[in-house]
Amino acid sequence: MELGGFVWRGLVLSLMLLVLVGPCSVFSQCQKISSCSCRLPNAGIIDLTPIGSGNPLYKDLKATQFPDDFLYSWNPCKDFTETDACKGVAACQKSTDGQTSYSLGDQGSATFGGDNKSVTVSYTGPSPDNRQSQVTLTCSSGATQFTVLGEDQTVSLYKFELKSPCACPGAGSGCAGGAISGGSILLIVCTVLLVGYIVGGILFMSFVKKASGTDRIPNKEFWKDLPTLVKDGAVFAVSPLRGKGKQYDNI
């Protein structure tokens, strides 16, 4: 009887753990939205679209962690064609002499794994090779960097790493550096103000002051003297460095 009660309590405890922990382990994974985006619950969406695509974007790179005699290419979001064996692929492995190549999977085979700490996107190539590749998406600041790690033979997996602000959950469309910087915004504002000052000043001088010709230029005398003022200021600033400053008598 005691043994039966112990087994029963064990079953109940197991079911409780499954109910409580199971959903967390499932829903904490990055859920696929497209071949280059996934959603992390309670964290946000990881979207590689702003990085862009090329033909491919990262082409013929050497492995760094597991060196070999191959070159590797990868393109986020869109398939590319590089060789006869690498037609419509997301990742390609090619010998340095270009004679041999293998598909490492296409965008249609993309699957996401990992959790809030580490997210990966994996691809599977066609049979009979069925070569698998995996890109670790590392959230970082600064410029986007793509690194080929190479084939980890212990798990038969070709590994890559993408470090980018776009690999951060919830990153905006400007994560790849395309957003307008603060300096650019300041320059735009200053340009708009300057144009507004000139156009508004001319209209004011023309219709309110009834000026004509060059007299319509707002603060005409200031702008006329500005080159001389700039020159005098430059000479004043540089003259001590040249030792040509004015000499004054002691009092």
Side-chain angles (χ1 to χ4, degrees):
M1 188 70 179
E2 293 181 358
L3 179 60
F6 177 78
V7 173
W8 175 251
R9 288 194 296 270
L11 288 174
V12 172
L13 180 60
S14 299
L15 288 174
M16 291 179 62
L17 290 175
L18 180 62
V19 171
L20 295 175
V21 179
C24 295
S25 62
V26 172
F27 291 106
S28 64
Q29 294 181 357
C30 204
Q31 303 164 14
K32 181 179 178 180
I33 299 175
S34 68
S35 62
C36 62
S37 62
C38 65
R39 178 181 288 105
L40 277 171
N42 303 321
I45 294 176
I46 295 178
D47 188 2
L48 304 181
T49 304
I51 296 177
S53 294
N55 195 33
L57 187 61
Y58 303 103
K59 184 176 181 179
D60 296 342
L61 302 178
K62 295 284 293 182
T64 57
Q65 185 172 338
F66 308 102
D68 55 25
D69 295 327
F70 289 90
L71 301 174
Y72 297 87
S73 301
W74 177 65
N75 203 45
C77 303
K78 295 182 180 180
D79 288 325
F80 68 94
T81 296
E82 186 172 4
T83 66
D84 290 339
C86 290
K87 289 184 177 180
V89 299
C92 178
Q93 178 191 29
K94 182 179 67 175
S95 60
T96 53
D97 60 9
Q99 298 299 313
T100 306
S101 58
Y102 302 94
S103 168
L104 299 181
D106 58 17
Q107 299 293 343
S109 67
T111 58
F112 287 88
D115 49 30
N116 293 346
K117 296 181 179 180
S118 177
V119 175
T120 61
V121 55
S122 302
Y123 310 92
T124 301
S127 58
D129 298 310
N130 297 116
R131 301 193 176 208
Q132 295 182 322
S133 58
Q134 183 181 84
V135 182
T136 299
L137 307 178
T138 302
C139 174
S140 66
S141 59
T144 296
Q145 296 180 346
F146 177 72
T147 304
V148 176
L149 303 179
E151 182 186 9
D152 186 349
Q153 296 183 355
T154 60
V155 291
S156 299
L157 189 65
Y158 295 89
K159 293 184 175 182
F160 311 95
E161 183 180 20
L162 180 74
K163 294 182 179 181
S164 173
C166 296
C168 302
S173 59
C175 59
I180 299 178
S181 64
S184 299
I185 294 176
L186 180 61
L187 181 60
I188 292 173
V189 171
C190 291
T191 301
V192 171
L193 292 176
L194 179 61
V195 172
Y197 163 77
I198 294 175
V199 174
I202 290 176
L203 292 176
F204 177 80
M205 296 298 292
S206 299
F207 295 102
V208 178
K209 295 294 185 178
K210 305 300 181 182
S212 61
T214 57
D215 291 335
R216 292 179 296 181
I217 299 176
N219 298 309
K220 173 185 174 181
E221 295 301 322
F222 168 78
W223 295 110
K224 182 179 179 181
D225 295 337
L226 181 61
T228 303
L229 295 174
V230 171
K231 178 182 177 181
D232 291 344
V235 171
F236 176 79
V238 174
S239 58
L241 301 177
R242 295 182 176 180
K244 297 181 178 181
K246 292 183 178 181
Q247 301 295 326
Y248 298 95
D249 295 333
N250 294 327
I251 299 177

